[in-house]
Amino acid sequence: MENVNTKIQEIKVDVMDIQIYEHMYSKQYDEGRQVVFHITKDGQPFDTTGYKATFQMKKPDGTIVVNDYDIEDGKFTVTLTNQMTICAGNRIPFQIQLIKVSDDLSEVPVVLTTVTGYLKVTESVVQPDDVISSDEFNALTHTLIRAEQLQIEVTQAEELRQGNEEIRQTNEGTRIAKEKDRQTKEADRQTNESLRINGEDTRCRNEETRQSNENIRNSNETTRQNDTAEAITNSVAATSDCINATTDLQRKLSQHHFVLTSDKGVSGGVAELDENGLVPSSQLPGYVDDVMEGYLEEGIFYSNPEHTEELAGEAGKIYVDLETNKTYRWSGSSFIVISETLALGETSSTAYRGDRGKTAYEHSQSEHARTDATKVEWSANNGAIRINGDEASVYVHPDSGATVGSYGDASDQSPAAGDTFKVPYVTVDAMGHVTEVSEHTVTLPTTSVTVDDELSIESTNPVENKVVTQAINELVNIIYPVGSIYMSVNSTNPGDLFGGTWVEWGSGRVPVGIDTSDNDFKTVEKAGGTKTTDISHTHTMAHTHTMAHTHTMAHVHSLETGYAKIGYTGGNVGIRNAAKGTFTATNSASAAVAWGADSSTNVVGSGLGGNTDAASNSTTSAASNATTSAASNATTSAASKTSTSTIQPYITCYMWKREA
């Protein structure tokens, strides 16, 4: 059955407040009352992660109560014990201390203590002494009944234990069966794992094969790209040749290098060409067909290779040397070669026969060419090539984007101060093609700006580079004199941007302003500081564990064989070993007191079996308010040495110092 006294009170405690607005209430000697403390901060829920709570109370008799609690969801519950409520009082002070200690010893522990609250304990109507003097007999009866109840509880516990043992054995059988099933499944798992490993090995081998094939594909792709790039280059070159040929043709046409129809086939004109592109024989000189074959040796033609039958030289005839295939004419005194560069033959100084070359070409195409080779040919179309017989566009000449016309002002090449003239602006792409042409209007200043003795704005060359260069240098010297610091997220040396000599400066360090009053910071470009430092620290936690408690037992255990009797007199409880003798007080410092006569005041009852007498309603009390206190303010200190980073929040950049 639920205790009706539990969780009877809930109190909010704010770690930032100056008082606790609600007190705890209890009756003297109550035990089991619960008070739930809600921890807040400035009226809002407080994150108590990692915190422990300590409830500290000082009772009216000066004894201290200290109990530790775990905090869950920002709250913890204090259960009042009789050691807390044994002393009545209206303002029994208490406080709550929150402690957070990190696993990292370099972090300082957090200790938060609330303001003082109060427990109001109302005095009980019945006090323990009243109960002892009026209910002594019932105490013994209750003890005997409790002993019988304990025996019943022991029997029931044993029956429960036996039932639990039977359940345990059943569960053990189930466990063994499940273990066998687990072992079977484990064997299956190991088999499947072996299959998985074999499959993984196969996958790895397949992956290696795939990677090898991928490398081959990449190599082939590289070769293809190179071939394509070469084909494009050749196509560009062919296109350029085509453009040049077209340009030359246009130039020739513009110069009228052509033959009039009326001049063909007439005297003083030019010969005609037949359907084969040859000059008709009717329009050739008569000697053209008069050809003599022989062998030229030391300036003499012979009709036989043995050089024994000489041929006389005659004007108007052509002589062919069968050994060199060169042709000659008779000048009247010697044979003059007329076809030095057109001789046919198979030597280093002759041209090869076309019929044989054609046969060799057809042979190479039909028997030796690769069937998967890509055939790239020249195309008559501008910007295209033929790949395996198909037209492919590889280059499109971009539109220049320029409008036909003249740009700039060619008439004013030497402007004076105050003149306005036009300057052309041309944009060229990466291929060297003009993509845009425009013009800008420039007006020169009306006043003369002298740079030095030799240069001014009125010079015949007003755009002289020296003016711009000197102006930039002077501006840089003003903004960045020698000794200046330049900071940037660009790694380019500022010397490449502004000129001058710059060196990297302050690598891995943070600049600090000069402070002439501080010895650490009064010297320019002084370096100091460290990224880490060793910190020695001590964690001292002053705490007290004082447990004030009282055990008052209103019952008697007096089972001494013989004529033992238990009596009560003068507020003392004792045992008598002989009739009408003295007895030793068990709850007093007195060694002995007078026993007195056998009466209801002193001895009650006539034994509990055998010759044992037990006085009923006798009370044995432990020393009231017996207190066990740990050493007050016991302190545990742990000195340690920790290497701690001292790096401040930072952001990196490049820094240079100008030296010249």
Side-chain angles (χ1 to χ4, degrees), residues 478-490:
I478 293 173
I479 299 176
Y480 294 111
V482 174
S484 297
I485 303 300
Y486 176 79
M487 304 174 67
S488 174
V489 296
N490 193 323

Side-chain angles (χ1 to χ4, degrees), residues 82 86 128-129 132 550-555 619-625:
N82 57 10
I86 196 168
D129 290 344
I132 291 172
T550 301
H551 295 288
T552 302
M553 298 165 286
H555 56 276
T619 301
T620 301
S621 300
S624 176
N625 295 326

Side-chain angles (χ1 to χ4, degrees), residues 235-262:
S235 175
V236 172
T239 302
S240 177
D241 292 342
C242 182
I243 293 173
N244 293 336
T246 302
T247 303
D248 183 62
L249 177 61
Q250 291 176 345
R251 180 182 60 79
K252 290 180 179 180
L253 291 175
S254 65
Q255 295 177 357
H256 304 289
H257 289 176
F258 54 87
V259 177
L260 297 177
T261 305
S262 59

Side-chain angles (χ1 to χ4, degrees), residues 237-309:
T239 302
S240 177
D241 292 342
C242 182
I243 293 173
N244 293 336
T246 302
T247 303
D248 183 62
L249 177 61
Q250 291 176 345
R251 180 182 60 79
K252 290 180 179 180
L253 291 175
S254 65
Q255 295 177 357
H256 304 289
H257 289 176
F258 54 87
V259 177
L260 297 177
T261 305
S262 59
D263 292 336
K264 295 170 58 178
V266 299
S267 176
V270 296
E272 295 178 314
L273 299 177
D274 60 16
E275 64 274 8
N276 296 321
L278 302 176
V279 177
S281 58
S282 61
Q283 298 183 19
L284 291 174
Y287 59 81
V288 171
D289 293 331
D290 197 359
V291 178
M292 303 294 292
E293 293 181 345
Y295 302 90
L296 183 65
E297 179 68 16
E298 295 180 354
I300 300 174
F301 254 94
Y302 297 90
S303 61
N304 59 346
E306 292 81 11
H307 303 157
T308 58
E309 298 178 3

Side-chain angles (χ1 to χ4, degrees), residues 7-12 22 34-38 75:
K7 299 184 180 178
I8 62 173
Q9 189 175 5
E10 295 193 9
I11 299 177
K12 290 185 178 180
E22 186 175 358
Q34 292 184 328
V35 180
V36 180
F37 287 93
H38 296 266
K75 61 184 179 180

Side-chain angles (χ1 to χ4, degrees), residues 155-376:
T155 301
Q156 293 175 345
E158 176 61 21
E159 292 175 352
L160 179 61
R161 186 197 66 77
Q162 291 178 357
N164 290 337
E165 176 62 18
E166 292 175 356
I167 295 174
R168 186 197 66 76
Q169 292 177 357
T170 301
N171 292 338
E172 178 64 13
T174 303
R175 186 196 67 78
I176 293 174
K178 290 184 178 180
E179 175 63 17
K180 291 180 180 179
D181 183 60
R182 186 198 66 78
Q183 292 175 355
T184 301
K185 291 181 179 178
E186 175 63 17
D188 293 339
R189 187 198 65 78
Q190 292 178 357
T191 300
N192 293 333
E193 178 66 12
S194 298
L195 295 175
R196 188 198 64 78
I197 292 174
N198 292 335
E200 178 65 15
D201 292 340
T202 302
R203 189 198 64 77
C204 292
R205 288 192 295 270
N206 293 338
E207 176 63 17
E208 292 175 356
T209 302
R210 187 199 64 77
Q211 290 180 355
S212 176
N213 293 336
E214 179 67 13
N215 293 335
I216 295 174
R217 190 199 66 77
N218 290 335
S219 177
N220 293 337
E221 177 65 15
T222 300
T223 301
R224 186 195 65 77
Q225 291 177 357
N226 293 337
D227 292 343
T228 302
E230 182 178 359
I232 292 173
T233 301
N234 295 336
S235 175
V236 172
T239 302
S240 177
D241 292 342
C242 182
I243 293 173
N244 293 336
T246 302
T247 303
D248 183 62
L249 177 61
Q250 291 176 345
R251 180 182 60 79
K252 290 180 179 180
L253 291 175
S254 65
Q255 295 177 357
H256 304 289
H257 289 176
F258 54 87
V259 177
L260 297 177
T261 305
S262 59
D263 292 336
K264 295 170 58 178
V266 299
S267 176
V270 296
E272 295 178 314
L273 299 177
D274 60 16
E275 64 274 8
N276 296 321
L278 302 176
V279 177
S281 58
S282 61
Q283 298 183 19
L284 291 174
Y287 59 81
V288 171
D289 293 331
D290 197 359
V291 178
M292 303 294 292
E293 293 181 345
Y295 302 90
L296 183 65
E297 179 68 16
E298 295 180 354
I300 300 174
F301 254 94
Y302 297 90
S303 61
N304 59 346
E306 292 81 11
H307 303 157
T308 58
E309 298 178 3
E310 183 177 351
L311 293 175
E314 296 180 29
K317 291 186 178 181
I318 296 176
Y319 294 84
V320 178
D321 186 352
L322 297 177
E323 290 183 348
T324 63
N325 284 329
K326 292 184 179 181
T327 57
Y328 297 84
R329 288 185 183 277
W330 176 252
S331 66
S333 60
S334 63
F335 292 95
I336 305 300
V337 65
I338 61 174
S339 60
E340 182 68 27
T341 59
L342 297 177
L344 300 178
E346 298 181 357
T347 66
S348 60
S349 61
T350 61
Y352 197 67
R353 287 174 50 179
D355 56 343
R356 295 182 179 179
K358 180 175 181 299
T359 301
Y361 172 76
E362 292 175 348
H363 173 74
S364 66
Q365 293 295 308
S366 62
E367 296 182 3
H368 298 285
R370 291 181 53 170
T371 58
D372 61 343
T374 300
K375 185 178 180 180
V376 181

